[in-house]
Coordinates of all heavy atoms in Angstrom, one line a residue:
D124 N 25.7 54.3 25.8 CA 27.0 54.2 26.5 C 27.3 55.4 27.4 O 27.0 56.6 27.0 CB 28.1 54.0 25.5 CG 28.0 52.8 24.7 OD1 27.2 51.9 25.0 OD2 28.7 52.7 23.7
G125 N 27.8 55.2 28.5 CA 28.3 56.2 29.4 C 27.3 57.1 30.1 O 27.6 58.1 30.7
T126 N 26.0 56.7 30.0 CA 25.0 57.4 30.7 C 25.0 57.2 32.2 O 25.3 56.0 32.7 CB 23.6 57.1 30.1 OG1 23.5 57.7 28.8 CG2 22.5 57.5 31.0
V127 N 24.7 58.2 33.0 CA 24.7 58.1 34.5 C 23.3 58.3 34.9 O 22.6 59.3 34.6 CB 25.6 59.2 35.1 CG1 25.5 59.2 36.6 CG2 27.1 58.9 34.7
I128 N 22.8 57.4 35.7 CA 21.4 57.4 36.2 C 21.5 57.4 37.8 O 22.0 56.4 38.3 CB 20.6 56.2 35.7 CG1 20.5 56.3 34.2 CG2 19.2 56.2 36.4 CD1 19.8 55.1 33.6
R129 N 21.2 58.5 38.4 CA 21.4 58.6 39.8 C 20.2 58.1 40.6 O 19.3 57.5 40.1 CB 21.6 60.1 40.2 CG 23.0 60.7 39.6 CD 24.2 59.9 40.2 NE 24.2 60.0 41.6 CZ 24.8 60.9 42.3 NH1 25.5 61.8 41.7 NH2 24.8 60.9 43.6
E130 N 20.3 58.2 41.9 CA 19.4 57.5 42.9 C 18.0 57.9 42.7 O 17.6 59.0 42.5 CB 19.9 57.7 44.3 CG 20.0 59.1 44.7 CD 21.4 59.7 44.5 OE1 22.0 59.3 43.6 OE2 21.7 60.6 45.3
G131 N 17.1 56.9 42.7 CA 15.7 57.1 42.7 C 15.1 57.4 41.3 O 13.9 57.7 41.2
V132 N 15.9 57.4 40.3 CA 15.4 57.7 38.9 C 14.4 56.6 38.5 O 14.7 55.4 38.7 CB 16.5 57.9 37.9 CG1 16.0 57.9 36.5 CG2 17.3 59.2 38.2
T133 N 13.4 56.9 37.7 CA 12.5 55.9 37.1 C 12.4 56.2 35.6 O 12.2 57.3 35.2 CB 11.1 56.0 37.7 OG1 10.6 57.3 37.7 CG2 11.1 55.5 39.2
V134 N 12.6 55.1 34.9 CA 12.5 55.1 33.4 C 11.5 54.0 33.0 O 11.9 52.9 33.2 CB 13.9 55.0 32.7 CG1 13.7 55.1 31.2 CG2 14.9 56.0 33.2
N135 N 10.4 54.4 32.5 CA 9.4 53.4 32.1 C 9.6 52.9 30.7 O 10.1 53.6 29.8 CB 8.0 54.0 32.2 CG 7.5 54.4 33.6 OD1 6.6 55.1 33.8 ND2 8.2 53.8 34.6
R136 N 9.2 51.6 30.5 CA 9.4 51.0 29.2 C 8.3 51.5 28.3 O 7.3 52.1 28.7 CB 9.3 49.5 29.3 CG 8.0 48.9 29.8 CD 8.2 47.4 30.1 NE 7.0 46.7 30.6 CZ 6.2 45.9 29.8 NH1 6.5 45.8 28.5 NH2 5.2 45.3 30.3
A137 N 8.5 51.2 27.0 CA 7.6 51.7 25.9 C 6.2 51.1 26.0 O 6.1 50.0 26.6 CB 8.2 51.5 24.6
S138 N 5.2 51.7 25.4 CA 3.9 51.2 25.5 C 3.4 50.3 24.4 O 2.4 49.6 24.5 CB 2.9 52.4 25.6 OG 3.0 53.2 24.4
Q139 N 4.2 50.3 23.3 CA 3.9 49.5 22.2 C 4.8 48.3 22.0 O 6.0 48.4 22.3 CB 3.9 50.3 20.9 CG 3.0 51.5 20.9 CD 1.6 51.1 21.1 OE1 1.1 50.3 20.4 NE2 0.9 51.8 22.0
A140 N 4.3 47.2 21.6 CA 5.1 45.9 21.5 C 6.3 46.1 20.5 O 6.1 46.7 19.5 CB 4.2 44.8 20.9
G141 N 7.4 45.6 21.0 CA 8.6 45.7 20.1 C 9.3 47.0 20.1 O 10.2 47.2 19.3
T142 N 8.9 48.0 20.9 CA 9.5 49.3 20.9 C 10.2 49.6 22.2 O 10.1 48.9 23.2 CB 8.5 50.4 20.6 OG1 7.5 50.4 21.7 CG2 7.8 50.2 19.3
Q143 N 11.0 50.7 22.2 CA 11.8 51.0 23.4 C 11.7 52.5 23.8 O 11.6 53.4 22.9 CB 13.2 50.7 23.2 CG 13.6 49.3 22.9 CD 15.0 49.1 22.5 OE1 15.5 49.7 21.5 NE2 15.7 48.1 23.1
T144 N 11.7 52.8 25.1 CA 12.0 54.1 25.6 C 13.5 54.2 25.4 O 14.2 53.3 25.8 CB 11.6 54.3 27.0 OG1 10.2 54.1 27.1 CG2 12.0 55.6 27.6
V145 N 14.0 55.4 25.0 CA 15.4 55.5 24.6 C 16.1 56.7 25.3 O 15.6 57.8 25.3 CB 15.6 55.7 23.1 CG1 17.1 55.8 22.7 CG2 15.0 54.5 22.3
L146 N 17.2 56.4 26.0 CA 18.1 57.4 26.5 C 19.4 57.3 25.7 O 20.0 56.2 25.5 CB 18.5 57.1 28.0 CG 17.3 56.9 29.0 CD1 17.9 56.8 30.4 CD2 16.3 58.1 28.9
G147 N 19.9 58.4 25.2 CA 21.1 58.5 24.4 C 22.4 58.2 25.2 O 22.3 57.9 26.4
A148 N 23.5 58.4 24.5 CA 24.8 58.2 25.2 C 25.2 59.4 26.0 O 24.8 60.6 25.7 CB 25.9 58.0 24.1
K149 N 25.9 59.2 27.1 CA 26.5 60.2 27.9 C 25.4 61.2 28.5 O 25.7 62.4 28.7 CB 27.5 61.0 27.2 CG 28.7 60.1 26.8 CD 29.8 61.0 26.1 CE 31.0 60.1 25.7 NZ 32.0 60.9 25.0
C150 N 24.2 60.7 28.8 CA 23.2 61.5 29.5 C 23.5 61.4 31.0 O 24.2 60.5 31.5 CB 21.8 60.9 29.2 SG 21.3 61.1 27.5
F151 N 22.9 62.4 31.7 CA 23.1 62.5 33.1 C 21.7 62.8 33.7 O 21.2 63.9 33.6 CB 24.1 63.5 33.5 CG 24.4 63.6 35.0 CD1 24.1 62.6 35.8 CD2 25.1 64.7 35.5 CE1 24.4 62.7 37.2 CE2 25.5 64.8 36.8 CZ 25.1 63.8 37.7
L152 N 21.1 61.7 34.4 CA 19.8 61.9 35.0 C 20.0 62.0 36.5 O 20.4 61.0 37.1 CB 18.9 60.7 34.6 CG 18.2 60.7 33.3 CD1 19.2 60.8 32.1 CD2 17.2 59.5 33.1
M153 N 19.8 63.2 37.1 CA 20.0 63.4 38.5 C 18.9 62.8 39.3 O 17.9 62.3 38.8 CB 20.2 64.9 38.8 CG 21.4 65.5 38.0 SD 21.6 67.2 38.5 CE 22.7 67.8 37.2
A154 N 19.0 62.8 40.6 CA 18.2 62.1 41.5 C 16.7 62.4 41.3 O 16.3 63.5 41.1 CB 18.6 62.4 43.0
Q155 N 15.9 61.3 41.4 CA 14.4 61.4 41.3 C 13.8 61.9 40.0 O 12.6 62.1 39.9 CB 13.9 62.2 42.5 CG 14.5 61.9 43.9 CD 14.2 60.5 44.3 OE1 13.1 59.9 44.0 NE2 15.1 59.9 45.0
A156 N 14.6 62.0 39.0 CA 14.1 62.3 37.7 C 13.2 61.2 37.2 O 13.4 60.0 37.5 CB 15.2 62.6 36.7
H157 N 12.2 61.5 36.3 CA 11.3 60.5 35.8 C 11.2 60.7 34.3 O 10.9 61.8 33.8 CB 9.9 60.7 36.4 CG 8.9 59.8 35.8 ND1 8.9 58.4 35.9 CD2 7.8 60.0 35.0 CE1 7.9 57.9 35.2 NE2 7.2 58.8 34.6
V158 N 11.4 59.5 33.6 CA 11.2 59.5 32.1 C 10.1 58.5 31.8 O 10.3 57.3 32.1 CB 12.5 59.1 31.4 CG1 12.4 59.0 29.9 CG2 13.7 60.1 31.8
A159 N 9.0 59.0 31.3 CA 7.9 58.1 31.1 C 8.0 57.3 29.8 O 9.0 57.4 29.0 CB 6.6 59.0 31.0
H160 N 7.0 56.5 29.6 CA 7.0 55.5 28.4 C 7.1 56.3 27.1 O 6.6 57.4 26.9 CB 5.7 54.7 28.4 CG 4.5 55.6 28.4 ND1 3.9 56.0 27.2 CD2 3.7 56.1 29.3 CE1 2.8 56.7 27.4 NE2 2.7 56.8 28.7
D161 N 7.9 55.6 26.2 CA 8.0 56.1 24.8 C 8.8 57.4 24.6 O 8.8 57.9 23.5 CB 6.6 56.2 24.1 CG 5.8 54.9 24.2 OD1 6.2 54.0 23.5 OD2 4.9 54.8 24.9
C162 N 9.4 57.9 25.7 CA 10.3 59.1 25.5 C 11.5 58.7 24.7 O 12.0 57.5 24.7 CB 10.7 59.6 26.9 SG 9.4 60.5 27.7
R163 N 12.1 59.7 24.0 CA 13.3 59.5 23.3 C 14.2 60.7 23.6 O 13.9 61.8 23.3 CB 13.1 59.4 21.8 CG 12.2 58.2 21.4 CD 12.1 58.0 19.9 NE 13.4 57.5 19.4 CZ 13.7 56.2 19.3 NH1 12.8 55.3 19.7 NH2 14.8 55.8 18.8
L164 N 15.4 60.4 24.3 CA 16.3 61.4 24.6 C 17.6 61.3 23.8 O 18.1 60.1 23.6 CB 16.7 61.3 26.1 CG 15.8 62.0 27.1 CD1 14.4 61.4 27.1 CD2 16.4 61.9 28.5
G165 N 18.1 62.4 23.2 CA 19.3 62.3 22.5 C 20.5 62.2 23.4 O 20.4 62.0 24.6
D166 N 21.7 62.3 22.8 CA 23.0 62.2 23.5 C 23.2 63.5 24.3 O 22.7 64.6 24.0 CB 24.2 62.0 22.6 CG 24.1 60.7 21.8 OD1 23.3 59.8 22.1 OD2 24.8 60.7 20.7
D167 N 23.9 63.3 25.4 CA 24.4 64.4 26.3 C 23.3 65.3 26.8 O 23.4 66.5 27.0 CB 25.3 65.3 25.5 CG 26.6 64.6 25.0 OD1 27.4 64.2 25.9 OD2 26.8 64.5 23.8
V168 N 22.2 64.6 27.2 CA 21.0 65.3 27.8 C 21.2 65.3 29.3 O 21.6 64.2 29.9 CB 19.7 64.6 27.4 CG1 18.6 65.2 28.3 CG2 19.4 64.8 26.0
I169 N 21.0 66.4 30.0 CA 21.1 66.5 31.4 C 19.7 66.8 32.0 O 19.1 67.8 31.6 CB 22.1 67.5 31.9 CG1 23.5 67.2 31.4 CG2 22.1 67.6 33.4 CD1 24.5 68.2 31.7
L170 N 19.2 65.9 32.9 CA 18.0 66.2 33.6 C 18.3 66.4 35.1 O 18.8 65.5 35.7 CB 17.0 65.0 33.5 CG 16.6 64.5 32.1 CD1 15.6 63.4 32.2 CD2 16.1 65.6 31.2
A171 N 18.1 67.6 35.6 CA 18.4 67.8 37.0 C 17.4 67.2 37.9 O 16.4 66.5 37.4 CB 18.5 69.3 37.2
N172 N 17.6 67.3 39.2 CA 16.7 66.6 40.2 C 15.2 66.9 39.9 O 14.8 68.0 39.7 CB 17.1 67.1 41.6 CG 18.5 66.7 42.0 OD1 19.4 67.0 41.3 ND2 18.6 66.1 43.2
N173 N 14.5 65.8 40.0 CA 13.0 65.9 40.0 C 12.4 66.4 38.7 O 11.2 66.7 38.6 CB 12.5 66.8 41.1 CG 12.9 66.3 42.5 OD1 12.6 65.1 42.8 ND2 13.6 67.1 43.2
V174 N 13.2 66.3 37.6 CA 12.6 66.6 36.3 C 11.6 65.5 35.9 O 11.8 64.3 36.2 CB 13.7 66.6 35.2 CG1 13.1 66.6 33.8 CG2 14.5 67.9 35.3
M175 N 10.5 65.9 35.3 CA 9.4 65.0 35.0 C 9.1 65.1 33.5 O 8.6 66.1 33.0 CB 8.1 65.3 35.8 CG 8.3 65.2 37.3 SD 6.9 65.8 38.2 CE 7.1 67.6 38.0
L176 N 9.3 64.0 32.8 CA 9.0 63.9 31.4 C 7.8 63.0 31.2 O 7.8 61.8 31.6 CB 10.1 63.4 30.5 CG 11.4 64.1 30.6 CD1 12.5 63.5 29.7 CD2 11.2 65.6 30.3
A177 N 6.7 63.5 30.6 CA 5.5 62.6 30.4 C 5.7 61.8 29.2 O 6.8 61.8 28.5 CB 4.3 63.5 30.2
G178 N 4.8 60.9 28.8 CA 4.9 60.0 27.8 C 5.1 60.6 26.4 O 4.6 61.7 26.1
H179 N 6.0 59.9 25.6 CA 6.2 60.3 24.2 C 6.9 61.6 24.0 O 6.9 62.2 22.9 CB 4.9 60.3 23.4 CG 4.1 59.1 23.4 ND1 4.3 58.0 22.5 CD2 3.1 58.7 24.2 CE1 3.5 57.1 22.8 NE2 2.7 57.4 23.8
V180 N 7.6 62.1 25.0 CA 8.3 63.4 24.9 C 9.6 63.1 24.1 O 10.3 62.1 24.3 CB 8.7 64.0 26.3 CG1 9.7 65.1 26.2 CG2 7.4 64.5 26.9
Q181 N 10.0 64.0 23.2 CA 11.2 63.9 22.5 C 12.2 65.0 22.9 O 11.8 66.2 22.9 CB 11.0 64.0 21.0 CG 10.1 62.9 20.4 CD 9.9 63.0 18.9 OE1 10.8 63.4 18.2 NE2 8.7 62.7 18.5
V182 N 13.4 64.6 23.2 CA 14.4 65.6 23.7 C 15.6 65.5 22.8 O 16.2 64.4 22.7 CB 14.8 65.4 25.2 CG1 15.8 66.4 25.7 CG2 13.5 65.4 26.1
G183 N 16.1 66.6 22.3 CA 17.2 66.6 21.4 C 18.5 66.5 22.1 O 18.6 66.5 23.4
T184 N 19.6 66.5 21.4 CA 21.0 66.4 22.0 C 21.3 67.7 22.7 O 20.8 68.8 22.4 CB 22.0 66.1 20.9 OG1 22.0 67.2 19.9 CG2 21.7 64.8 20.2
R185 N 22.2 67.5 23.7 CA 22.8 68.6 24.5 C 21.7 69.5 25.1 O 21.8 70.7 25.1 CB 23.7 69.4 23.6 CG 25.0 68.6 23.2 CD 26.0 69.5 22.5 NE 26.6 70.4 23.4 CZ 27.7 70.2 24.2 NH1 28.3 69.0 24.0 NH2 28.1 71.1 25.0
V186 N 20.6 68.9 25.6 CA 19.6 69.7 26.3 C 19.8 69.6 27.8 O 20.2 68.6 28.3 CB 18.2 69.1 26.0 CG1 17.1 69.7 26.9 CG2 17.8 69.4 24.5
F187 N 19.6 70.8 28.5 CA 19.7 70.8 29.9 C 18.3 71.2 30.5 O 17.8 72.2 30.0 CB 20.7 71.8 30.4 CG 20.8 72.0 31.9 CD1 21.5 71.1 32.7 CD2 20.0 72.9 32.6 CE1 21.5 71.2 34.1 CE2 20.0 73.0 33.9 CZ 20.7 72.2 34.7
M188 N 17.8 70.4 31.4 CA 16.5 70.7 32.0 C 16.7 70.9 33.5 O 17.2 70.0 34.2 CB 15.5 69.6 31.7 CG 15.3 69.3 30.3 SD 13.7 68.4 29.9 CE 12.6 69.6 30.6
G189 N 16.3 72.1 34.0 CA 16.5 72.5 35.3 C 15.7 71.7 36.3 O 14.6 71.1 35.9
G190 N 16.0 71.7 37.6 CA 15.4 70.9 38.6 C 13.9 71.2 38.7 O 13.5 72.4 38.7
G191 N 13.1 70.2 38.8 CA 11.6 70.3 39.0 C 10.9 70.7 37.7 O 9.6 70.9 37.8
S192 N 11.5 70.8 36.6 CA 10.8 71.2 35.4 C 10.0 70.0 34.9 O 10.3 68.8 35.1 CB 11.7 71.7 34.3 OG 12.8 70.7 34.0
A193 N 8.9 70.3 34.2 CA 8.0 69.2 33.7 C 7.6 69.5 32.3 O 7.4 70.6 31.9 CB 6.7 69.2 34.6
V194 N 7.5 68.4 31.5 CA 7.2 68.5 30.1 C 5.9 67.6 29.8 O 5.9 66.4 30.2 CB 8.3 68.0 29.2 CG1 8.0 68.2 27.7 CG2 9.6 68.8 29.5
H195 N 4.9 68.2 29.2 CA 3.7 67.5 28.9 C 3.9 66.4 27.8 O 4.8 66.5 27.0 CB 2.7 68.6 28.3 CG 1.3 68.1 28.2 ND1 0.8 67.3 27.2 CD2 0.2 68.3 29.0 CE1 -0.5 67.1 27.3 NE2 -0.9 67.7 28.5
Q196 N 3.0 65.4 27.8 CA 3.2 64.3 26.8 C 3.1 64.8 25.4 O 2.5 65.8 25.0 CB 2.0 63.3 27.0 CG 0.6 63.9 26.8 CD -0.4 62.8 27.1 OE1 -0.1 61.7 27.5 NE2 -1.7 63.2 27.0
F197 N 3.9 64.1 24.5 CA 4.0 64.4 23.1 C 4.7 65.7 22.7 O 4.7 66.1 21.6 CB 2.6 64.3 22.4 CG 2.0 63.0 22.4 CD1 1.0 62.6 23.3 CD2 2.4 62.0 21.5 CE1 0.4 61.4 23.3 CE2 1.8 60.8 21.4 CZ 0.9 60.4 22.4
C198 N 5.3 66.4 23.7 CA 6.0 67.6 23.4 C 7.4 67.3 22.8 O 8.0 66.2 23.1 CB 6.2 68.5 24.6 SG 4.7 69.4 25.1
R199 N 8.0 68.2 22.1 CA 9.3 68.1 21.5 C 10.2 69.2 22.1 O 9.7 70.4 22.2 CB 9.3 68.2 20.0 CG 8.5 67.2 19.3 CD 8.6 67.4 17.8 NE 8.0 68.7 17.4 CZ 8.4 69.5 16.4 NH1 9.4 69.1 15.6 NH2 7.8 70.7 16.2
V200 N 11.4 68.8 22.6 CA 12.3 69.8 23.1 C 13.5 69.7 22.2 O 14.2 68.7 22.1 CB 12.7 69.5 24.5 CG1 13.7 70.5 25.0 CG2 11.5 69.5 25.4
G201 N 13.8 70.8 21.4 CA 14.8 70.7 20.4 C 16.2 70.7 20.9 O 16.5 70.9 22.1
Q202 N 17.1 70.4 20.0 CA 18.6 70.3 20.3 C 19.1 71.6 20.9 O 18.7 72.7 20.6 CB 19.3 70.1 19.0 CG 20.8 70.1 19.1 CD 21.5 69.8 17.8 OE1 20.9 69.2 16.9 NE2 22.7 70.2 17.6
G203 N 20.0 71.5 21.9 CA 20.6 72.6 22.5 C 19.8 73.5 23.4 O 20.2 74.6 23.7
V204 N 18.6 73.1 23.8 CA 17.7 73.9 24.6 C 18.1 73.9 26.0 O 18.7 72.9 26.5 CB 16.2 73.3 24.5 CG1 15.3 73.8 25.6 CG2 15.7 73.7 23.1

Side-chain angles (χ1 to χ4, degrees):
D124 296 348
T126 286
V127 175
I128 299 173
R129 292 299 301 269
E130 55 271 31
V132 167
T133 50
V134 182
N135 293 163
R136 64 189 179 101
S138 62
Q139 301 299 313
T142 62
Q143 297 171 309
T144 300
V145 177
L146 308 183
K149 297 182 180 179
C150 294
F151 186 14
L152 279 60
M153 299 185 195
Q155 310 300 325
H157 173 68
V158 178
H160 59 89
D161 304 289
C162 286
R163 301 188 70 88
L164 278 60
D166 298 341
D167 298 296
V168 170
I169 299 175
L170 306 184
N172 295 51
N173 302 302
V174 166
M175 298 172 287
L176 303 184
H179 302 275
V180 167
Q181 298 180 38
V182 180
T184 59
R185 298 187 67 90
V186 168
F187 176 86
M188 300 200 61
S192 56
V194 182
H195 193 279
Q196 62 184 357
F197 291 101
C198 283
R199 299 178 300 148
V200 179
Q202 176 176 337
V204 162

